[in-house]
């Protein structure tokens, strides 16, 4: 018996607006879905030193309210999110923020991350934030490529910075300096 082969077609999407999705400000009612996407990323073992998504109260307390966005699909489900957190309480670092971005497993590679990064870069620059920072495991090649396409550069590698999943892990430290804001 001969099996019919079918090609899997992945639609080409505009990275600024992946087909059927909307980028909008994160709302409190998105909390459960945001944390589910976060956990989906954590479950890969290459997204964070965290292994369990925090409570919404903890997540909400550390992220800047004006720089939180979600990507929702045509049915209103959160398929990705991006948020900024301050790197320090010292006034001199008011223009520097740490970036976190997570895209659900079913929508990776479709432009969701690119669209979310574009939105948060625009909002950060409009608010006077001149530098975005992030740390990524070297094994997370897709995230490294996404950030480099968005203008992040590798500052260095923090070797054996933390113990995770039974081994010491390195973290690639990246930053994006605004060409429009800051010196």
């Amino acid at each position: 018996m001969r099996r019919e082969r079918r090609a899997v077609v992945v639609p080409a999407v505009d990275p600024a607006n992946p087909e059927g999705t909307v980028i909008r400000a994160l709302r409190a009612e998105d909390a459960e879905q945001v944390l589910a996407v976060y956990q989906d990323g954590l479950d890969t073992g290459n997204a964070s030193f965290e292994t369990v998504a925090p409570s919404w109260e903890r997540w909400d307390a550390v992220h800047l309210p004006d720089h939180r966005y979600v990507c929702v699909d045509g049915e209103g489900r959160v398929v990705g999110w991006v948020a900024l957190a301050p790197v320090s309480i010292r006034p001199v670092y008011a223009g520097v923020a740490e970036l976190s971005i997570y895209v659900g497993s079913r929508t990776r590679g479709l432009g969701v991350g690119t669209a979310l990064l574009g939105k948060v870069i625009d909002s950060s620059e409009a608010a006077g934030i001149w530098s975005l920072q992030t740390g990524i495991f070297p094994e997370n090649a897709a995230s490294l490529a996404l950030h480099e396409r968005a203008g992040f550069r590798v500052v260095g590698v923090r070797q054996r910075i933390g113990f995770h999943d039974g081994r010491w892990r390195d973290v690639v430290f990246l930053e994006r300096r605004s060409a429009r804001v800051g010196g």
Side-chain angles (χ1 to χ4, degrees), residues 64-87:
L64 296 169
D66 295 334
H67 305 287
R68 307 169 178 192
Y69 298 95
V70 292
C71 180
V72 295
D73 66 13
E75 296 176 20
R77 293 177 299 213
V78 173
V79 298
W81 61 267
V82 65
L84 300 181
V87 297

Side-chain angles (χ1 to χ4, degrees), residues 13 18 34 39-40 43 47 54 64 84 86 88 90 112 143-144 151 156 168 171:
V13 295
V34 165
Q39 188 63 55
D40 186 32
D43 290 345
L64 296 169
L84 300 181
S88 175
R90 295 175 60 198
V112 170
S143 187
L144 288 168
W168 288 97
V171 170

Side-chain angles (χ1 to χ4, degrees), residues 28-161:
E29 57 265 26
D30 298 323
E32 185 177 325
Q33 292 183 70
V34 165
L35 294 179
V37 169
Y38 193 7
Q39 188 63 55
D40 186 32
L42 296 178
D43 290 345
T44 69
N46 282 326
S48 173
F49 283 107
E50 301 292 331
T51 57
V52 177
S55 68
W56 178 251
E57 293 74 21
R58 188 170 135 225
W59 190 99
D60 186 48
V62 300
H63 292 96
L64 296 169
D66 295 334
H67 305 287
R68 307 169 178 192
Y69 298 95
V70 292
C71 180
V72 295
D73 66 13
E75 296 176 20
R77 293 177 299 213
V78 173
V79 298
W81 61 267
V82 65
L84 300 181
V87 297
S88 175
I89 60 170
R90 295 175 60 198
V92 69
Y93 294 111
V96 183
E98 180 181 9
L99 179 136
S100 295
I101 184 168
Y102 286 79
V103 176
S105 56
R106 67 185 182 86
T107 53
R108 290 183 191 133
L110 299 178
V112 170
T114 300
L116 285 166
L117 271 180
K119 183 68 173 175
V120 82
I121 288 168
D122 288 346
S123 78
S124 68
E125 289 180 337
I129 296 173
W130 59 80
S131 185
L132 299 178
Q133 301 176 352
T134 194
I136 301 171
F137 289 135
E139 297 84 0
N140 195 340
S143 187
L144 288 168
L146 170 68
H147 285 80
E148 288 179 9
R149 283 192 310 271
F152 283 77
R153 70 178 182 91
V154 173
V155 175
V157 176
R158 302 179 78 190
Q159 297 179 343
R160 298 171 44 94
I161 191 71

